[in-house]
Amino acid sequence: MGNFPIQTPVRVAEFYSDDAWIEGRAVDQLREVAGWPGMRAVAGFPDLHPGRFGPVGGAFLADRIYPQLIGPDIGCGMALFRLDLPRRKLKLDKAARRLEALETGVDADTGAAALSGTRAVQLDVCGLGTLGGGNHFCEVQVVDKIADAATASGLGLQAGDLCLLVHTGSRGQGAGVFTGISDTWAEGFLPGSDAAEAYVALHDAAQVWARVNRALIAGRAAEALRCEARLICDAPHNHLERRPDGWLHRKGAAAPDRGLAPLAGSRDSLSYLMAVPEGPPEALGSVSHGAGRRYDRAAMHGRIRRVKSELEAMRKTRFGGRVICADRDLLIEEAGSAYKDAGAVLRDLEAFGLAHAVAAFAPLLTFKTSKGGRG
């Protein structure tokens, strides 16, 4: 991951139990990053798994900027919305057809208006309003149970309510920022340097673009379902944060929004809304963002047969929900069995005092792509 001399590694704060499914290679990556020059603190969470440029499911505080610890999908995050649509009025077949509107992005005028007045106005509107590929999704969920009645009531949530969880980021915008500096970031950028200032400006723009993108997708999904969407929280998990004691890098580690953060499960498991207290300083103000991968994408192709019966079975969930994904490769790579148990991740977070459950959500409609394109 790096080609520079390492320093004496800082202590890694591991917020996962011995029972957690953590691949050894991910732990090795975590400890390698702990020895990078200028690294001050490293935290790993129970959704930890190996990544291309560093581990996913970690937070890293350093006195310099390492773009590779953010990666190309700058600003990626999850936003949870409450829908004012009664469960009895959601007809899955009809709703699935209506959500196909998410296959294409917004028009140029709509995109420009959405970015107007923000730091992202300098970026292209191309792709705005779309999810992209990989593990991104837009999911209609039903509140399965309430764990923290007081907090849920304050948010206007009760069992049986419909919500929308949107997981996406800055699409080609962040990727363009990252690849544009790929020859220069190996040893990190020193704060105050031209390279650091240029990256931070583009990073901040891409992060705003990503947040606008999630809001647009939610609005378009709500319009397709003939209802309104009210934001509960929007928690990014791939981004850089300037702090008094250095630069905090999060890669697959959520930054709570208003003390809340979604914890995504898989197509075959519950997701959660978590209340996140201040927590121990070693956690760097971060928590897990999801279940985390158990098997990488290539491995999934060896675990699931590409036969019609198995592929069709993956388009339905054990909750009676539907998965809208015309890309067979993506369907296999994002199968429920590719992911860890989100409930186990939550239990570890609760045991370490990092979060507690507010509500659990069952997936009803998971939209990824309706035409086979990865975006």
Side-chain angles (χ1 to χ4, degrees), residues 19-194:
D19 295 330
W21 180 286
I22 306 290
E23 191 175 334
R25 187 160 62 94
V27 176
D28 291 343
Q29 288 185 337
L30 198 67
R31 292 173 179 168
E32 180 182 337
V33 173
W36 287 6
M39 197 60 59
R40 294 184 175 182
V42 172
F45 302 98
D47 57 337
L48 186 74
H49 57 281
R52 182 178 178 186
F53 302 102
V56 181
F60 314 89
L61 180 67
D63 63 11
R64 64 180 68 183
I65 296 168
Y66 288 103
Q68 61 268 50
L69 291 180
I70 308 302
D73 198 6
I74 298 168
C76 186
M78 295 188 189
L80 180 67
F81 301 79
R82 184 187 180 279
L83 301 178
D84 65 350
L85 177 67
R87 172 67 182 90
R88 69 181 185 278
K89 291 190 176 182
L90 180 70
K91 309 303 179 185
L92 293 184
D93 289 339
K94 182 182 292 186
R97 290 193 297 270
R98 287 177 173 174
L99 285 180
E100 291 182 3
L102 299 178
E103 188 71 30
T104 57
V106 299
D107 60 63
D109 289 342
T110 301
L115 297 180
S116 178
T118 74
R119 292 183 179 182
V121 70
Q122 61 183 295
L123 300 180
D124 196 341
V125 300
C126 182
L128 199 58
T130 61
L131 290 165
N135 60 354
H136 295 162
F137 61 83
C138 176
E139 187 168 87
V140 179
Q141 306 176 329
V142 61
V143 178
D144 184 69
K145 53 189 171 184
I146 298 294
D148 179 344
T151 301
S153 177
L155 296 170
L157 284 178
Q158 58 185 354
D161 284 351
L162 293 182
C163 289
L164 191 76
L165 183 61
V166 180
H167 177 202
T168 191
S170 55
R171 306 284 282 105
Q173 309 306 313
V177 172
F178 187 67
T179 56
I181 58 171
S182 61
D183 295 332
T184 62
W185 49 243
E187 297 183 12
F189 298 149
L190 294 176
S193 66
D194 290 345

Side-chain angles (χ1 to χ4, degrees), residues 167-244:
H167 177 202
T168 191
S170 55
R171 306 284 282 105
Q173 309 306 313
V177 172
F178 187 67
T179 56
I181 58 171
S182 61
D183 295 332
T184 62
W185 49 243
E187 297 183 12
F189 298 149
L190 294 176
S193 66
D194 290 345
E197 295 299 316
Y199 174 74
V200 170
L202 289 171
H203 164 279
D204 291 352
Q207 182 165 244
V208 171
W209 197 101
R211 187 178 291 269
V212 170
N213 193 34
R214 288 189 287 275
L216 281 173
I217 290 170
R220 298 177 71 211
E223 182 180 8
L225 297 174
R226 311 294 196 268
C227 64
E228 298 292 329
R230 175 178 58 81
L231 179 66
I232 293 175
C233 64
D234 187 323
H237 53 248
N238 283 0
H239 69 134
L240 182 71
E241 180 182 314
R242 183 188 285 106
R243 300 198 343 173

Side-chain angles (χ1 to χ4, degrees), residues 287-342:
V287 290
S288 295
H289 77 296
R293 291 197 74 92
R294 189 173 186 177
Y295 303 110
D296 63 27
R297 300 184 189 284
M300 289 306 298
H301 287 282
R303 301 183 67 86
I304 296 177
R305 295 184 301 160
R306 294 175 65 93
V307 296
K308 185 176 181 179
S309 59
E310 291 198 22
L311 293 173
E312 288 306 310
M314 285 191 291
R315 301 185 196 279
K316 297 181 180 179
T317 74
R318 67 184 181 90
F319 302 98
R322 313 288 175 80
V323 177
I324 308 164
C325 182
D327 185 324
R328 289 183 295 178
D329 287 339
L330 197 56
L331 191 64
I332 290 170
E333 294 164 4
E334 292 297 305
S337 58
Y339 287 88
K340 305 178 192 183
D341 178 6

